[in-house]
Amino acid sequence: GDDGRFTLSTGGQPGAVVGKHQVAIQAVDDPKLNEAGEVEGAIPSRIPQKYSNHLSSGLSEEVKQDGENNFSFELTGAAPRG
């Protein structure tokens, strides 16, 4: 959200499997819709594109079975223009 909070999902399901994981982050602006309500054009990203793929993000975290799993990620770089 705009306050920096996020939800975690794995394979389209809420939550994560216990263990170490590479992380991808996506944050996009609301898409532009045409008169038929269909997305028109590309959906602009609010963060650098490298974070949208777990292989290029450079981010990882370990999900533990016991206790809270609170994660904070510092993203650097400019968001794409468009």
Side-chain angles (χ1 to χ4, degrees), residues 42-62:
I43 301 172
S45 178
R46 298 176 73 185
I47 60 175
Q49 194 64 35
K50 72 177 186 175
Y51 294 111
S52 68
N53 186 304
H54 69 281
L55 298 175
S56 62
S57 72
L59 303 173
S60 64
E61 197 56 76
E62 184 172 358

Side-chain angles (χ1 to χ4, degrees), residues 16-65:
V17 177
V18 172
K20 188 159 178 128
H21 300 276
Q22 293 176 300
V23 176
I25 298 175
Q26 297 179 346
V28 295
D29 287 330
D30 291 333
K32 293 180 182 176
L33 304 178
N34 63 22
E35 290 179 11
E38 299 166 331
V39 174
E40 191 171 275
I43 301 172
S45 178
R46 298 176 73 185
I47 60 175
Q49 194 64 35
K50 72 177 186 175
Y51 294 111
S52 68
N53 186 304
H54 69 281
L55 298 175
S56 62
S57 72
L59 303 173
S60 64
E61 197 56 76
E62 184 172 358
V63 176
K64 297 180 181 175
Q65 179 148 354

